[in-house]
């Protein structure tokens, strides 16, 4: 049966989701705050609105009468989702999940206080004056994040008292939404970071993808690889934590659950109720279904019999160096010559410093050292330059 899917947020993750949905015969409407967003380029229809404007959001929902609403970003008036569910619209994964996970305060308190899951020590601050006191209590170094943001936007590290005001200003200027509060987290001494892609189904068990390792800079991922080499005990602990949180939030879909792997165990970090940027490594064919195909199947209620590792792989980001419009790319011919590789250019109409404009992908057979794929993906990305006309 053909469903109409309203995608709220139309970046590169949304673009791949739309492609997966269309391959299953679905109708898609892509929504974002600017025209020409990546998912709009492949969707059946699109809308340009401010999704923090609840009335504008209501208007789009009323006009298109979707069967499903699939959020892709944080900056949405998510409290409206409860009313949409009452109207019989399926919100992905659920209105509660979308509302909680778009706000770091809600999801962190749910994990740490309600479910007793291990997290970094954290406190909130609603003013610069309050932040000085909070940083003193949490201790330095610490990490400051806006309550609503993604891909590291507004995130910074405080190493000394002189960094506090700067971090407050960064969070205020680059966070999404209209909350001015921040979360201050104690720095976790970890050996690695992973994303555990978790799939909740309408009529089936919760499934887990092989863990994905990643490297971050400026709070945003730079490379990811699958599988990540962590112990069976740590994998099991992460799976148990992920299942606890996703069960509490409810609904069907794919979740990106982030963890710190420490010498003394696993620490919950964050959760996204949608495909995760580090999961773009699955576009290298590392699994029998990419994370976007899994998300689509789960939200449509199609059975997913199993998730299997098919090969090892890695992704590396292609970043812009400057601000501009009508970006084009140099070096594609040099990057494309690598064997067992692929790349994706997202089609974003503008660029800015450090904006993610594409990814390179490398893969090899199971048993191969995955870091040879990481090195290849990084080499390919370094050959591609973003230029503005």
């Amino acid at each position: 049966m053909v469903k109409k899917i309203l995608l709220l947020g139309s970046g590169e993750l949304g673009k791949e989701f739309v492609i997966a949905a269309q391959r299953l015969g679905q109708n898609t409407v892509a929504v974002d705050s600017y025209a020409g967003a990546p998912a709009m380029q492949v969707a059946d229809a699109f809308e340009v609105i401010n999704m923090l404007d609840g009335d504008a959001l209501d208007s789009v929902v009323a006009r298109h009468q979707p069967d499903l609403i699939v959020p892709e970003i944080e900056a949405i008036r998510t409290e409206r989702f409860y009313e949409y569910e009452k109207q019989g619209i399926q919100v992905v994964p659920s209105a509660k999940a979308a509302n909680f996970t778009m706000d770091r305060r809600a999801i962190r308190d749910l994990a740490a206080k309600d479910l007793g899951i291990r997290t970094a020590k954290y406190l909130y601050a609603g003013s610069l004056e309050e932040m000085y006191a909070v940083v003193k209590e949490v201790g330095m170094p610490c990490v400051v994040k806006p309550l609503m943001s993604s891909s590291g936007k507004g995130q910074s590290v405080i190493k000394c008292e002189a960094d506090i005001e700067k971090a407050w200003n960064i969070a205020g200027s680059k966070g999404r939404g209209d909350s001015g509060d921040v979360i201050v987290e104690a720095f976790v001494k970890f050996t690695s970071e992973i994303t555990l892609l978790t799939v909740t189904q309408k009529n089936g068990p919760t499934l887990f993808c092989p863990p994905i390792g990643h490297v971050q800079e400026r709070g945003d991922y730079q490379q990811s690889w699958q599988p990540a080499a962590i112990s069976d005990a740590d994998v099991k602990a992460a799976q148990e934590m992920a299942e606890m949180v996703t069960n509490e939030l409810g609904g069907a879909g794919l979740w990106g659950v982030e963890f710190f792997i420490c010498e003394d165990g696993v620490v919950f970090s964050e959760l996204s109720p949608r495909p995760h940027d580090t999961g773009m490594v699955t576009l290298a064919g590392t699994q029998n279904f990419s994370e976007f195909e899994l998300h689509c199947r789960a939200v449509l209620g199609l059975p997913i019999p199993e998730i299997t590792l098919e090969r090892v792989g890695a992704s590396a980001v292609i970043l812009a160096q400057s601000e501009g419009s009508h970006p084009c790319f140099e070096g594609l011919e040099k990057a494309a010559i690598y064997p067992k590789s692929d790349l994706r250019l997202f089609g974003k109409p503008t660029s800015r410093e450090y904006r993610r404009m594409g990814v390179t992908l490398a893969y090899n057979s199971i048993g191969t050292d995955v870091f040879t794929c990481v090195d290849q993906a990084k080499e390919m990305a370094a050959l591609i330059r973003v230029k503005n006309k």
Side-chain angles (χ1 to χ4, degrees):
M1 181 179 178
V2 177
K3 302 281 189 180
K4 179 177 280 191
I5 301 172
L6 189 69
L7 179 70
L8 299 180
S10 298
E12 58 267 30
L13 302 180
K15 184 175 187 175
E16 294 295 339
F17 173 78
V18 167
I19 292 170
Q22 290 189 334
R23 284 174 174 161
L24 291 174
Q26 306 306 304
N27 183 280
T28 54
V29 180
V31 184
D32 213 313
S33 60
Y34 67 97
M40 293 180 183
Q41 299 164 19
V42 293
D44 296 286
F46 70 89
E47 295 274 2
V48 178
I49 65 165
N50 174 8
M51 284 176 289
L52 286 171
D53 182 338
D55 292 338
L57 190 59
D58 286 347
S59 178
V60 166
V61 172
R63 182 158 55 251
H64 289 280
Q65 293 289 302
D67 299 294
L68 295 89
I69 291 176
V70 178
E72 191 238 17
I73 62 171
E74 290 79 9
I76 306 172
R77 195 60 67 188
T78 53
E79 68 273 9
R80 303 284 178 124
F81 290 175
Y82 293 106
E83 180 59 34
Y84 302 152
E85 276 192 341
K86 291 178 182 177
Q87 296 172 20
I89 301 170
Q90 179 187 339
V91 177
V92 173
S94 66
K96 179 180 179 180
N99 203 43
F100 271 57
T101 54
M102 296 302 183
D103 181 344
R104 284 192 169 96
R105 186 196 304 272
I107 190 61
R108 181 58 62 87
D109 287 351
L110 172 69
K113 296 179 180 179
D114 298 345
L115 299 177
I117 289 173
R118 183 187 180 192
T119 71
K121 181 180 178 181
Y122 68 96
L123 291 169
Y124 305 110
S127 67
L128 178 58
E129 184 179 50
E130 190 176 2
M131 188 157 142
Y132 275 98
V134 164
V135 170
K136 185 176 181 180
E137 185 170 348
V138 169
M140 293 183 280
C142 58
V143 180
V144 177
K145 304 174 185 177
L147 289 186
M148 188 179 288
S149 72
S150 67
S151 300
K153 294 180 176 65
Q155 179 174 320
S156 56
V157 176
I158 293 176
K159 298 180 180 178
C160 62
E161 190 168 331
D163 294 334
I164 296 176
E165 184 171 358
K166 180 181 178 182
W168 172 260
N169 292 333
I170 290 172
S173 64
K174 295 186 179 181
R176 297 182 178 182
D178 47 16
S179 171
D181 292 3
V182 300
I183 182 172
V184 180
E185 300 178 351
F187 194 79
V188 176
K189 294 182 179 179
F190 57 86
T191 57
S192 63
E193 295 177 89
I194 68 161
T195 303
L196 184 66
L197 298 178
T198 302
V199 183
T200 52
Q201 302 188 76
K202 291 182 178 180
N203 298 296
T206 296
L207 301 175
F208 304 98
C209 298
I212 294 170
H214 53 90
V215 170
Q216 295 195 35
E217 294 177 12
R218 300 173 299 276
D220 198 6
Y221 112 95
Q222 303 299 298
Q223 299 95 38
S224 65
W225 57 92
Q226 189 182 36
I230 64 174
S231 70
D232 291 343
D234 285 344
V235 169
K236 182 179 179 181
Q239 289 177 347
E240 289 174 350
M241 292 183 195
E243 189 160 17
M244 286 176 66
V245 180
T246 55
N247 281 347
E248 182 67 24
L249 293 171
L254 178 136
W255 315 65
V257 192
E258 295 181 68
F259 296 95
F260 298 114
I261 307 300
C262 307
E263 290 184 356
D264 61 347
V266 180
V267 177
F268 173 86
S269 176
E270 292 190 340
L271 177 147
S272 301
R274 59 189 182 277
H276 199 267
D277 50 9
T278 61
M280 282 191 279
V281 65
T282 62
L283 293 172
T286 52
Q287 303 180 162
N288 55 330
F289 297 113
S290 75
E291 64 168 344
F292 308 101
E293 293 166 333
L294 288 170
H295 194 44
C296 190
R297 282 174 172 258
V299 304
L300 292 174
L302 295 176
I304 303 168
E306 62 179 352
I307 300 172
T308 59
L309 183 72
E310 298 296 312
R311 54 195 186 188
V312 304
S315 73
V317 298
I318 301 168
L319 300 178
Q321 291 79 41
S322 61
E323 185 175 340
S325 59
H326 307 293
C328 56
F329 298 85
E330 295 180 355
L332 294 179
E333 298 86 353
K334 295 178 181 178
I337 202 169
Y338 283 76
K340 297 183 179 179
S341 71
D342 203 351
L343 55 86
R344 297 286 191 279
L345 304 179
F346 302 146
K348 295 179 179 179
T350 61
S351 67
R352 58 179 177 269
E353 188 178 21
Y354 299 127
R355 190 177 198 189
R356 192 166 57 224
M357 307 299 287
V359 292
T360 55
L361 303 162
Y363 56 87
N364 213 322
S365 56
I366 293 175
T368 305
D369 181 1
V370 72
F371 287 102
T372 62
C373 297
V374 175
D375 291 341
Q376 178 174 314
K378 288 169 63 177
E379 288 178 17
M380 292 169 62
L383 293 170
I384 300 173
R385 307 290 293 178
V386 182
K387 301 291 185 179
N388 295 299
K389 293 181 180 178

